[in-house]
Amino acid sequence: MITLTPQQAQNIVDRMMNVIPYNVNIMNDKGIIIGSGDKNRLYKLHEGAMEAISNKKMIEIMMGGVGTKPGVNTPIIFQDKIIGVIGITGEPNVVRPFVELVRITAELLVNQEYVLFQRRINEQLKDEFLFELIYLNKNYSQDFRERGDSLGIDVSIPRVAVVLTFRDEYLEKVKGKLINFLRIDEFHLKLNPSTIVAFMFYDSLVIKRLEKFLSKDEECCIQIGIGIHENVFGISFKQATKAIKIGKKLENENKIHLYKDLAFISLLASFKGNNDMEKIIKSLEVENQLNLLSTLSTYINMSGQVNKIADSLHIHRNTLNYRLEKIEEVTGKNPKNFIDLFQLYTAYILSKL
């Protein structure tokens, strides 16, 4: 239920007394003065207000008595309920028009506060629903769907999870950019000061849209992980989280990390801690002066194309072949053999995760 607070009441009084030459009092629904131009009258019972509340209409006091002065008192109505009383001290015939002005102003301000309050409540309920949505990993119940509909969130619309990370000092800036960027049926939820998840409409343009979004990022250091479209959004959210985690660790220059491209690497992560894989990388690290790890990395990323690899490393083809032979010598795995290369690739990926 909306009530008048002393802060609201005194704010209205102060603003009104800047434009009218009479003392203004505002009483709560119990007839207690909670705002006044005369601070000595605060928190005292106002008899005229009590009468206005009891009769549910404007009361004019011609002669003052104990605890009252001549003036006009009229109820403040909100949603057909009396939430307070406006009182202006003075001769009723003179101050009556001012009472109406103050009453209308008070009711407008209360209504504005109510709208803002309802908006905050609705945003809070939306956030709570979206939070449930990202951690729900089973089919949606009818009740859950109806809750979403009541909040303007249709869970049947195909959406994909997009996780954004950035420097936490730019939280408000990124939020502002997202609000302007997302469509009307798309949403966002802050997970922590440096992470936001966006609920984006799934179509063939989603990646291009995000590339355009990133093209305007000059300082926030935004990185994005994108899941796969799933019937249950929580699954897509887990994928997007894994994608950005893996993408960052692989130390490439990409700012957008797609789970569909990293799903296999995510699967390889289950071998983390395997002794055989760790031995392969340690043996390459021993020969660090030959840059065997970076050579292996480039060899993998360029799909074994010798000329491109040599150019990228700024070395001669013969030097590249020597390094590849050295990799086989220290690991027992030949990079030019598909099965051996797969094991080398697995070991290399695990060393980055």
Side-chain angles (χ1 to χ4, degrees):
M1 177 182 175
I2 289 292
T3 59
L4 271 174
T5 67
Q7 292 81 3
Q8 290 172 322
Q10 192 60 52
N11 181 46
I12 294 170
V13 167
D14 293 341
R15 292 170 66 177
M16 290 298 99
M17 289 189 64
N18 284 330
V19 294
I20 63 175
Y22 300 97
N23 184 59
V24 178
N25 296 313
I26 295 184
M27 285 64 71
N28 64 15
D29 58 347
K30 303 294 188 297
I32 303 298
I33 301 174
I34 57 174
S36 177
D38 181 358
K39 299 300 187 290
N40 293 322
R41 302 192 69 187
L42 286 172
Y43 306 112
K44 294 179 181 178
L45 183 66
H46 193 289
E47 295 294 340
M50 292 296 292
E51 189 176 349
I53 292 170
S54 177
N55 290 283
K56 299 180 180 179
K57 66 178 183 179
M58 181 186 291
I59 299 297
E60 297 181 354
I61 302 173
M62 298 299 177
M63 297 294 294
V66 179
T68 62
K69 293 182 180 181
V72 178
N73 302 283
T74 190
I76 303 171
I77 309 294
F78 181 73
Q79 294 184 343
D80 298 324
K81 294 181 181 179
I82 295 175
I83 62 171
V85 176
I86 296 288
I88 297 185
T89 306
E91 184 181 341
N93 289 334
V94 177
V95 301
R96 190 182 301 115
F98 295 114
V99 170
E100 279 300 293
L101 173 65
V102 178
R103 179 187 65 78
I104 292 171
T105 301
E107 289 178 357
L108 286 173
L109 290 173
V110 169
N111 186 67
Q112 182 183 56
E113 183 67 25
Y114 176 76
V115 170
L116 292 174
F117 174 75
Q118 289 298 110
R119 188 177 299 168
R120 287 194 295 268
I121 291 296
N122 191 58
E123 289 302 317
Q124 182 179 337
L125 291 174
K126 271 188 177 180
D127 284 352
E128 290 174 358
F129 183 84
L130 292 173
F131 192 81
E132 286 185 54
L133 190 59
I134 64 174
Y135 288 110
L136 193 63
N137 293 312
K138 59 182 180 181
N139 291 330
Y140 310 133
S141 67
Q142 185 61 32
D143 178 65
F144 187 77
R145 292 175 181 274
E146 290 174 359
R147 276 179 57 205
D149 290 340
S150 70
L151 295 168
I153 304 172
D154 184 352
V155 296
S156 67
I157 292 176
R159 295 190 181 90
V160 64
V162 177
V163 173
L164 299 91
T165 65
F166 41 84
R167 290 163 57 183
D168 54 10
E169 63 263 37
Y170 292 110
L171 171 62
E172 293 305 319
K173 184 172 183 178
V174 175
K175 281 176 62 177
K177 288 179 63 172
L178 269 178
I179 289 171
N180 293 324
F181 169 74
L182 295 176
R183 298 173 181 173
I184 193 169
D185 57 353
E186 297 176 329
F187 310 93
H188 73 279
L189 177 67
K190 184 190 84 171
L191 299 182
N192 58 55
S194 61
T195 309
I196 292 176
V197 56
F199 303 69
M200 292 187 62
F201 183 72
Y202 176 72
D203 61 15
S204 59
L205 299 176
V206 65
I207 295 174
K208 287 184 178 179
R209 288 179 60 203
L210 287 166
E211 287 174 345
K212 187 175 180 181
F213 177 79
L214 278 182
S215 68
K216 299 177 182 179
D217 174 39
E218 298 177 355
E219 57 184 354
C220 302
C221 300
I222 299 174
Q223 297 259 348
I224 294 176
I226 305 176
I228 299 172
H229 168 243
E230 303 281 357
N231 291 330
V232 176
F233 187 86
I235 299 174
S236 182
F237 170 69
K238 282 186 176 181
Q239 294 169 349
T241 302
K242 287 180 180 178
I244 200 166
K245 184 178 180 180
I246 293 171
K248 284 181 176 181
K249 289 184 176 179
L250 292 182
E251 299 176 351
N252 56 38
E253 296 180 356
N254 295 337
K255 291 186 176 181
I256 296 180
H257 311 287
L258 306 177
Y259 182 76
K260 71 180 183 65
D261 294 339
L262 298 170
F264 180 68
I265 295 177
S266 177
L267 180 63
L268 291 182
S270 62
F271 291 97
K272 185 74 173 174
N274 181 281
N275 289 332
D276 291 338
M277 297 295 105
E278 289 181 355
K279 286 179 182 178
I280 290 174
I281 296 302
K282 286 179 179 178
S283 64
L284 292 175
E285 290 174 339
V286 170
E287 302 293 337
N288 187 50
Q289 69 274 17
L290 294 177
N291 298 312
L292 297 187
L293 263 179
S294 63
T295 299
L296 176 62
S297 170
T298 307
Y299 186 84
I300 291 170
N301 290 328
M302 293 191 169
S303 304
Q305 299 180 67
V306 175
N307 289 334
K308 288 185 177 180
I309 296 167
D311 289 343
S312 176
L313 294 174
H314 306 292
I315 59 177
H316 192 274
R317 283 186 51 156
N318 291 340
T319 303
L320 174 59
N321 286 326
Y322 172 74
R323 290 185 183 180
L324 294 176
E325 290 171 1
K326 193 66 178 178
I327 288 173
E328 180 179 10
E329 179 185 326
V330 300
T331 65
K333 308 296 178 183
N334 180 4
K336 296 180 180 180
N337 177 279
F338 182 79
I339 298 299
D340 286 355
L341 180 61
F342 177 72
Q343 293 180 64
L344 288 168
Y345 173 74
T346 302
Y348 172 74
I349 291 298
L350 292 178
S351 73
K352 295 296 182 181
L353 300 181

